[in-house]
Amino acid sequence: MRAAILVEGVSDQVALHVLARRRGRELAAEGVGVLAMDGATNAARYLREYGPGGRGLKLAGLFDEAEERFFRIGLERAGLDPGPATEDLEELGFFVCRADLEDELIRAVGAEEVLRIVAAEGEQRSFRTLQRQPAMRDKTLLHQLRRMMGGRAGGKERWARLLAEAVPLERVPRPLELVLEQL
């Protein structure tokens, strides 16, 4: 492995592999690993292990908006200067998903198309039940869809794959597009 993209979880890993394949790339064959860190709190350990003070790989990363601080701390501890702004992280090859991967993909695919995918997957009844729950009734469709995707074990990975397959290539979310271009 000559380079690594550090991601929070398996759903990010799945989405990047699907998008790379759709662009005609095979990341493993190119020597690029997409490493799921089992959460952003592990960023410092991965950056130390794979960065300049460890294996010396070229690094990039993808993280959720709420987890930026963990990547910032990790980059500092790895001897890299993350600068004060999110844009500074981008110069180092690290990109933020607003609010998270699911949010980026749902917006890129479009809520109506996502609802068609939900129906095609036989999950429409389950989704309608979720929408009727008191805590979900006043939430936006985007919020409800995000909640459905993370509601079951393996759900995030399943929906990341389905949405990464469905997103038009000209509408791939900016952070996913840019992180793949880094390596």
Side-chain angles (χ1 to χ4, degrees):
M1 188 166 48
R2 65 169 180 79
I5 300 172
L6 304 179
V7 297
E8 292 183 48
V10 176
S11 60
D12 307 271
Q13 185 181 49
V14 167
L16 289 176
H17 278 293
V18 167
L19 291 169
R21 180 187 46 75
R22 289 185 62 208
R23 294 263 192 220
R25 295 182 63 190
E26 180 55 48
L27 297 176
E30 296 174 24
V32 177
V34 181
L35 306 178
M37 301 181 303
D38 196 25
T41 57
N42 293 315
R45 180 171 62 89
Y46 276 79
L47 285 159
R48 273 194 315 270
E49 182 176 341
Y50 293 96
R55 297 184 188 183
L57 301 181
K58 183 172 180 171
L59 296 176
L62 188 67
F63 56 92
D64 295 346
E65 188 172 44
E67 312 303 342
E68 181 174 328
R69 69 187 182 280
F70 296 113
F71 276 81
R72 189 171 293 288
I73 290 166
L75 288 162
E76 286 174 2
R77 290 182 181 166
L80 301 167
D81 179 14
T86 301
E87 294 77 23
D88 298 322
L89 295 173
E90 289 186 358
E91 289 182 26
L92 295 174
F94 291 82
F95 300 90
V96 63
C97 289
R98 310 245 184 244
D100 56 24
L101 176 77
E102 294 77 23
D103 181 69
E104 293 278 0
L105 288 170
I106 293 167
R107 284 187 289 112
V109 171
E112 291 306 314
E113 180 61 22
V114 173
L115 288 174
R116 281 192 279 284
I117 295 168
V118 168
E121 289 294 307
E123 297 290 345
Q124 191 170 27
R125 183 175 176 188
S126 176
F127 180 63
R128 296 291 181 228
T129 300
L130 179 135
Q131 286 183 301
R132 287 191 302 272
Q133 293 177 355
M136 289 288 124
R137 286 183 195 145
D138 295 332
K139 301 296 183 188
T140 66
L141 178 58
L142 176 64
H143 182 88
Q144 293 168 343
L145 288 166
R146 286 175 56 215
R147 176 67 178 94
M148 178 204 60
M149 291 176 186
R152 292 185 187 154
K156 284 189 168 200
E157 294 84 8
R158 174 187 179 198
W159 294 107
R161 180 183 53 76
L162 290 167
L163 296 185
E165 289 285 357
V167 68
L169 289 177
E170 67 277 2
R171 295 192 57 199
V172 170
R174 181 181 180 276
L176 283 76
E177 185 77 34
L178 292 176
V179 78
L180 286 169
E181 289 176 2
Q182 293 299 301
L183 306 174

